[in-house]
């Protein structure tokens, strides 16, 4: 049975809006019988004698979304909307018109989810930074435990310093 090594979750698939060009251009799929698996297909050149794509550390879209989030946190909704809609329009989606901080941040986090999937662990850090990690992951991972949001402290560090205690769950 052909299955890609990294498949896209249904949660991410359902986060894309109808008409989102990122869905069309950044996802690949394999169908076996009646089952289809989707996988990240953003960067299509893995090995080539001539370099045609570069590994991105900072992308312009990410910078717009960082600024949109900062503006929303500062209640600059017109600036946040301008940045958010710039990214949405590039993805073939219409403008949104939001007027509260909560709805604005929710829209920005969703846009980050579909824009930055499979890149540098953005989703993990976004969920931690926004304090939504337990809410989001407990709904998609039945075995999720809150202590999993913390990394273990290296045992050597704990041993060297009696004031350090290991994070819960490790």
């Amino acid at each position: 049975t052909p299955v890609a090594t990294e498949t896209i979750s249904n949660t991410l698939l359902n986060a894309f809006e109808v008409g989102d060009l990122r869905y069309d251009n950044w996802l690949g799929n394999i169908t076996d019988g009646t089952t289809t698996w989707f996988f990240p297909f953003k960067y299509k050149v893995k090995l080539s004698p001539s370099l045609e794509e570069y590994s991105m550390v900072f992308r312009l879209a990410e910078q717009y979304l960082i600024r949109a989030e900062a503006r929303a946190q500062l209640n600059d909704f017109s600036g946040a909307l301008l940045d958010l809609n710039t990214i949405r329009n590039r993805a073939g989606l219409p403008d949104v018109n939001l007027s509260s901080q909560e709805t604005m941040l929710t829209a920005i986090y969703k846009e980050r989810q579909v824009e930055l999937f499979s890149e540098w662990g953005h989703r993990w850090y976004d969920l931690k930074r926004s304090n939504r990690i337990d809410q989001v992951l407990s709904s998609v991972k039945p075995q999720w435990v809150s202590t999993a949001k913390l990394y273990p402290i290296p045992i050597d560090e704990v041993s060297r310093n009696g004031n350090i205690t290991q994070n819960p769950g490790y």
Side-chain angles (χ1 to χ4, degrees), residues 118-146:
S118 75
E119 293 183 29
W120 301 95
H122 283 289
R123 179 79 169 148
W124 175 258
Y125 295 113
D126 287 348
L127 292 173
K128 286 184 70 161
R129 184 184 73 254
S130 64
N131 274 334
R132 297 175 308 123
I133 194 163
D134 288 327
Q135 172 194 355
V136 171
L137 292 183
S138 65
S139 68
V140 295
K141 294 183 170 213
Q143 303 303 318
W144 174 256
V145 291
S146 185

Side-chain angles (χ1 to χ4, degrees), residues 16 23 30 34 42 52 57 65 86 100 102 107 111 114 122 134 145 157:
F16 287 97
Y23 181 92
I30 297 171
T34 60
K42 282 183 171 182
E52 298 175 28
V57 176
L65 292 169
T86 296
S100 77
E102 182 181 348
E111 210 60 40
V114 296
H122 283 289
D134 288 327
V145 291
E157 298 302 320

Side-chain angles (χ1 to χ4, degrees), residues 59-69 83-84 86-87:
R59 294 198 295 114
L60 184 58
E62 179 187 5
Q63 305 312 302
Y64 272 100
L65 292 169
I66 289 170
R67 187 171 67 178
E69 184 177 349
D83 289 337
L84 178 62
T86 296
I87 301 308

Side-chain angles (χ1 to χ4, degrees), residues 46-62:
K46 296 280 187 191
L47 298 172
S48 172
S50 63
L51 187 60
E52 298 175 28
E53 292 179 332
Y54 297 91
S55 177
M56 296 294 142
V57 176
F58 291 106
R59 294 198 295 114
L60 184 58
E62 179 187 5

